[in-house]
Amino acid sequence: MRILITNDDGVNALGLQILANVAKKFGSVICVAPIEEQSGKSHSIIIKEPFVIKKYEDIVPGVKTYGIGSTPGDCVRIAHYYLKEQFDLVLSGINNGYNLGEDILYSGTIGAATEGILCGKKAIAFSTKVNHFDNLDLEVGKILKMIIEEKMLELHNFWNVNICDNPKGIKYTYQGCTNFDAYYEDVSNDEVFSRGGPDLSKEKDRTGSDVCAIYNGYISISPLTADRTNYNILNKVNNKI
């Protein structure tokens, strides 16, 4: 298996190194990641100005590494369209912080994985609790082994994995709601700073959601799609015509 590693925390992020090391056990690996942190950039790309492509010393021995002066989505595009790298699977992460609920829409980690789908590849996004990296390689290795051995990538091409600390097990989930308390703080006369935080406890009883699984101590694995069409509604309106 040929694997592309990317993320939104930057090419020097610990989560990227852990993921690349784990991925080496499952196939040949290349890393193409942002030079600087790109959290919250979703699936954005740069189209009207140039950006840097820089060869790095291998972040992990034996893993060819490039740093890109753009977004996670562009990292996958550069690997596919410019570097002409041959890969079957995009592994994005391991993000330093969960990507649950509506954060899926904002996440550069998910954006990179989504771009992999648009390039005709399969993709898995990995995220974890903030600064939770101890023994994370073991958990990621077990999950990746399970996904491959149980042929989950043949069942579906796009999975979102969130790993809590000391997990009780695994739950297969849908996108929930983080109940983020967003507000903005003035830092000068013409500048504001985004503030707030999630309240996962509000979903503790919403069985089946990714937020509920994480709050109750389970790894969350969700099947995602790049297609945002609501086919249920589309079929209903078409049947009225």
Side-chain angles (χ1 to χ4, degrees):
M1 182 182 297
R2 298 163 298 184
I3 302 171
L4 172 67
I5 306 290
T6 191
N7 72 350
D8 71 1
D9 288 326
V11 71
N12 292 308
L14 177 58
L16 190 77
Q17 297 173 30
I18 294 172
L19 188 55
N21 255 321
V22 171
K24 285 173 61 178
K25 302 173 184 177
F26 298 92
S28 60
V29 177
I30 180 175
C31 176
V32 183
I35 293 173
E36 297 180 352
E37 183 179 352
Q38 297 287 314
S39 296
K41 293 298 177 68
S42 188
H43 198 166
S44 62
I45 58 174
I46 292 176
I47 59 174
K48 293 188 176 180
E49 57 189 44
F51 52 86
V52 171
I53 302 173
K54 179 181 177 183
K55 182 72 169 65
Y56 272 57
E57 291 296 320
D58 297 350
I59 61 165
V60 169
V63 176
K64 183 166 58 174
T65 302
Y66 291 89
I68 308 299
S70 187
T71 64
D74 264 334
C75 289
V76 178
R77 291 171 66 82
I78 285 292
H80 181 58
Y81 294 110
Y82 179 75
L83 298 175
K84 306 292 185 183
E85 292 289 342
Q86 301 299 312
F87 54 94
D88 311 295
L89 174 65
V90 176
L91 298 182
S92 185
I94 304 165
N95 194 66
N96 188 20
Y98 296 131
N99 279 307
L100 304 164
E102 63 271 32
D103 287 344
I104 289 171
L105 301 175
Y106 303 125
S107 166
T109 303
I110 303 296
T114 305
E115 184 59 40
I117 299 302
L118 297 186
C119 290
K121 315 301 181 181
K122 300 178 187 297
I124 308 171
F126 285 95
S127 304
T128 192
K129 183 179 179 180
V130 173
N131 297 328
H132 168 59
F133 292 108
D134 292 343
N135 300 315
L136 192 57
D137 57 333
L138 301 178
E139 293 293 347
V140 171
K142 287 189 292 185
I143 293 167
L144 192 52
K145 183 173 185 287
M146 179 196 72
I147 288 174
I148 292 171
E149 290 186 349
E150 296 190 7
K151 301 187 177 189
M152 291 172 62
L153 290 170
E154 295 179 20
L155 175 66
H156 185 64
N157 61 358
F158 187 4
W159 298 91
N160 182 33
V161 179
N162 283 275
I163 305 172
C164 57
D165 52 348
N166 302 312
K168 301 173 184 176
I170 293 173
K171 298 283 188 181
Y172 295 99
T173 59
Y174 59 83
Q175 178 182 331
C177 180
T178 64
N179 293 285
F180 197 91
D181 179 26
Y183 66 95
Y184 289 85
E185 178 182 329
D186 292 324
V187 293
S188 70
N189 288 336
D190 55 2
E191 292 180 316
V192 297
F193 204 109
S194 178
R195 300 293 191 188
D199 184 355
L200 305 189
S201 67
K202 291 183 177 180
E203 288 250 321
K204 65 181 180 180
D205 298 320
R206 193 180 176 195
T207 304
S209 83
D210 52 3
V211 176
C212 178
I214 286 294
Y215 181 82
N216 288 292
Y218 290 88
I219 292 168
S220 166
I221 302 182
S222 305
L224 302 184
T225 65
D227 184 348
R228 297 189 181 187
T229 306
N230 186 322
Y231 288 98
N232 182 45
I233 298 300
L234 181 62
N235 289 333
K236 286 182 179 180
V237 295
N238 277 334
N239 287 336
K240 291 182 178 180
I241 297 175

